[in-house]
Amino acid sequence: MNILLFDNDEAQLSRTRETLLELPGADGFQVAAFTDVAQLEAHLAAGNTVDVAIMDIDLGEGEPTGIDLVKRYFGPGSGTQVVYLTGYVEYCTEVYETDHVYFLLKPATGEQVARALEKAIDRVMYRYVEQCADAAQRDCAQ
């Protein structure tokens, strides 16, 4: 499971990463963590796939928001499951301009992060099963 973490606050990014790596099944996680938009964009431009993106929203003055980045890189059909993790409740309406599975307020507990990740992983797995079933159906039709 390829998980991307993005938060402009390095301390928060470290806490979120530690929380993820303590979860059951974490040995199957490939975690890429970034605090800078340019680093994130380079990671994505290199063709790295992202199953789950845990995104901060307010990235500071002069930067796009996490919502803008989700629209740009993880739009409909991308398959990436997005979890927003922010300290700003005022974004709770704007996130609905994007496909996402969870909206967490900082500081999120380990239990909250675990629930959000579980829901995101369930959706990734469901999509994978659907794709396999579609491929099998096409093979049978030939």
Side-chain angles (χ1 to χ4, degrees):
M1 187 69 46
N2 297 310
I3 301 174
L4 181 139
L5 302 178
F6 188 84
D7 198 309
N8 66 332
D9 178 339
E10 203 161 317
Q12 179 64 51
L13 186 72
S14 292
R15 283 191 297 276
T16 304
R17 184 184 186 112
E18 288 172 19
T19 298
L20 283 179
L21 296 177
E22 291 172 0
L23 296 174
D27 55 334
F29 298 163
Q30 303 281 328
V31 180
F34 303 100
T35 58
D36 178 81
V37 174
Q39 294 171 335
L40 168 71
E41 290 176 333
H43 178 77
L44 296 173
N48 293 293
T49 60
V50 178
D51 297 309
V52 178
I54 300 177
M55 300 287 293
D56 188 9
I57 296 178
D58 190 328
L59 307 177
E61 193 164 330
E63 295 289 346
T65 67
I67 296 168
D68 295 331
L69 294 172
V70 167
K71 287 178 185 176
R72 187 178 309 157
Y73 296 110
F74 309 122
S78 72
T80 299
Q81 302 303 309
V82 176
V83 174
Y84 288 108
L85 177 61
T86 184
Y88 301 94
V89 72
E90 56 266 26
Y91 289 108
C92 69
T93 301
E94 191 177 341
V95 296
Y96 285 97
E97 295 175 12
T98 66
D99 289 337
H100 67 284
V101 294
Y102 234 90
F103 181 90
L104 295 171
L105 283 174
K106 294 177 186 176
T109 66
E111 184 179 309
Q112 291 170 322
V113 172
R115 273 197 314 265
L117 188 61
E118 181 180 349
K119 186 172 182 180
I121 290 171
D122 284 350
R123 287 192 178 185
V124 169
M125 297 310 293
Y126 180 79
R127 183 181 169 112
Y128 176 74
V129 168
E130 277 187 327
Q131 289 172 343
C132 289
D134 289 346
Q137 190 174 28
R138 281 192 304 275
D139 289 346
C140 289
Q142 292 178 355

